Amino acid sequence: MKPVTVVGSINLDLINYLDRWPKVGETIAVRETANSLGGKGANQAAAAALLGADVTMLGATGKDSFGADVRQQLEAKGVKTQLAEYADVSTGMAFIDVVPDGSNIIRLAGGANNSLSAGTIRENAAQIERSSVLLLQNEISLETSLEAARIARKTGVLVIMDPAPAPVPAWGPETFTCFDIMTPNAEEAGAILGTTPQTLEEAQDAARALKAQGLKGAIITMGGMGAAWAIDAETGALPAPKVKAIDTVAAGDCFNGALATRLAEGESFEAAIRFAMHAAAIATTRKGASSSLPSREEVLSFLSSTGG
């Protein structure tokens, strides 16, 4: 299996578990707090590493204690790191509120993630060029992501873009054509297309519409409903395995890390999507971001129990 490279964000997550959403101007008690490694890039890298991929993370931290902490946490999960350190900015942070049904609100302080430059990516071009899959997200500058995509595409590396947070304004065809596969959730697809899919059938239509923008294909994740895709000449949809979700933070990141892992192993898109949905489903049954990510053995066992 050739390596997976992740270019993207690294945060320290500060998580509050609430009994309910507060009203505007209201103060309520927090039931439980936690902190952990986060950032969509770091979560994707950690997910892939735990699932057996050879993963390297290209990103940035501040030259502070948080930066040292997140680097150590990445490496403890099996992720190789090539991280820029900036003395004049802090490590990125995310402030996450979660209510009992697992839904969440996230506020981001980009910090060093905003300083990760195209020049730094060029300095690490060799790592991207020897990969099989490049994973990107929208928590660093688009210019930096596009530089990584350009390097990857020159050597035939598959480029997967998770457009989260949703791009505002929506990207045009000139941006879409820099990526191979796009993996938005329903809300992100809606922000790009102007219409949010509500069913798996509508998600297939949305995937086709995204593909028509110049992509090799698109996969729309629909949470507990499942996922739908249009890739090359193939379209399809799969229902999600049933679990009791308590925290959906990082479920999408887990999906992307799992997807990249199986594609790097030579699996078909449908088989990789099925595996990724089972991995993400397990993540929703646990609290936290990187702390919720499953092992390969857990996912394979879950797949077997559901007939996958």
Side-chain angles (χ1 to χ4, degrees):
M1 181 179 65
K2 292 179 70 177
V4 172
T5 296
V6 181
V7 174
S9 56
I10 305 169
N11 294 329
L12 182 71
D13 286 352
L14 302 178
I15 308 166
N16 293 320
Y17 293 95
L18 312 178
D19 290 323
R20 61 176 176 84
W21 295 121
K23 299 174 183 177
V24 175
E26 181 185 18
T27 299
I28 65 171
V30 173
R31 174 164 40 85
E32 184 181 349
T33 63
N35 69 78
S36 69
L37 172 71
K40 291 186 178 298
N43 292 338
Q44 289 180 2
L50 289 169
L51 294 169
D54 175 4
V55 188
T56 296
M57 174 88 209
L58 303 184
T61 68
K63 203 171 265 190
D64 51 26
S65 60
F66 291 156
D69 184 15
V70 295
R71 183 192 294 267
Q72 186 277 328
Q73 290 193 56
L74 276 168
E75 293 174 351
K77 293 181 184 298
V79 179
K80 300 170 186 174
T81 58
Q82 295 180 18
L83 308 182
E85 285 186 334
Y86 299 102
D88 57 342
V89 292
S90 64
T91 297
M93 300 187 74
F95 306 89
I96 304 171
D97 295 329
V98 183
V99 291
D101 70 359
S103 58
N104 62 80
I105 292 174
I106 303 175
R107 292 153 291 146
L108 288 174
N113 296 311
N114 296 336
S115 298
L116 183 62
S117 69
T120 298
I121 299 306
R122 286 191 290 273
E123 292 170 3
N124 292 277
Q127 171 59 39
I128 296 172
E129 291 166 348
R130 69 186 188 92
S131 302
S132 56
V133 180
L134 171 68
L135 273 177
L136 303 168
Q137 333 76 43
N138 198 32
E139 284 187 339
I140 59 174
S141 80
L142 180 59
E143 177 189 3
T144 302
S145 291
L146 291 177
E147 183 63 21
R150 281 191 285 267
I151 293 168
R153 294 285 290 274
K154 286 179 181 177
T155 50
V157 177
L158 183 73
V159 180
I160 300 176
M161 165 54 83
D162 174 13
V168 179
W171 294 329
E174 70 283 354
T175 298
F176 277 76
T177 55
C178 295
F179 313 124
D180 293 310
I181 305 295
M182 195 167 286
T183 61
N185 64 23
E187 290 72 26
E188 291 149 3
I192 294 169
L193 296 170
T195 303
T196 301
Q198 302 295 325
T199 65
L200 284 179
E201 183 178 357
E202 290 179 1
Q204 277 188 268
D205 292 338
R208 282 190 283 265
L210 287 174
K211 179 177 177 291
Q213 299 282 336
L215 297 165
K216 173 183 174 69
I219 303 166
I220 312 292
T221 58
M222 299 290 289
M225 273 190 270
W229 66 90
I231 301 170
D232 293 329
E234 177 188 354
T235 62
L238 287 169
K242 300 303 180 186
V243 295
K244 182 175 176 56
I246 63 169
D247 186 349
T248 58
V249 172
D253 303 328
C254 183
F255 179 94
N256 280 278
L259 178 73
T261 298
R262 294 303 266 176
L263 291 175
E265 292 174 344
E267 287 280 6
S268 68
F269 276 103
E270 181 171 347
I273 291 167
R274 188 186 301 276
F275 180 88
M277 283 200 305
H278 280 72
I282 294 173
T284 68
T285 67
R286 302 168 176 171
K287 294 178 180 178
S290 62
S291 58
S292 72
L293 301 172
S295 69
R296 185 183 185 93
E297 291 73 22
E298 288 174 312
V299 180
L300 291 175
S301 176
F302 187 32
L303 268 167
S304 177
S305 71
T306 62

